[in-house]
Amino acid sequence: GVCDVRFKEEIDGIHSLGGKVIYFTRTTEQNSEHSSNKADISSLCDIIIDNKEIEMDKKNEAIFAKLREWGYLEYDVVTKESA
């Protein structure tokens, strides 16, 4: 899998191969002068996960739930609440 995309063309390439893109909001400021930070690609992604205000277990639950929904996982996700 691809772990980092920053440009529309990269997302388009992933989608053209049947892949999905998860966007995580940033927790720190990045160099705004770099060309990869100038384009807002979040609207091109399949899901946006707020990485600023979410606990790790909730973030993992959101990721696994989406992977299950997309058919990438064949089993249910066990959460703290359901265990």
Side-chain angles (χ1 to χ4, degrees):
V2 178
C3 62
D4 183 24
V5 296
R6 298 176 188 207
F7 299 101
K8 177 188 180 308
E9 294 79 11
E10 295 170 326
I11 294 173
D12 290 344
I14 292 168
H15 284 153
S16 73
L17 296 171
K20 301 287 187 181
V21 179
I22 300 173
Y23 183 90
F24 294 94
T25 57
R26 293 185 177 183
T27 56
T28 60
E29 292 297 319
Q30 301 292 324
N31 178 358
S32 62
E33 297 302 315
H34 192 275
S35 61
S36 66
N37 293 326
K38 292 183 179 180
D40 180 14
I41 61 169
S42 62
S43 65
L44 304 173
C45 298
D46 299 287
I47 182 177
I48 299 172
I49 295 180
D50 183 1
N51 205 29
K52 297 176 187 174
E53 304 290 331
I54 192 170
E55 296 176 19
M56 180 67 76
D57 60 333
K58 296 295 182 189
K59 178 170 50 174
N60 290 340
E61 289 173 19
I63 294 167
F64 281 109
K66 242 343 160 172
L67 291 174
R68 174 88 168 101
E69 179 184 316
W70 291 333
Y72 293 116
L73 300 177
E74 296 179 7
Y75 54 87
D76 288 328
V77 176
V78 178
T79 64
K80 286 182 182 180
E81 290 80 22
S82 66

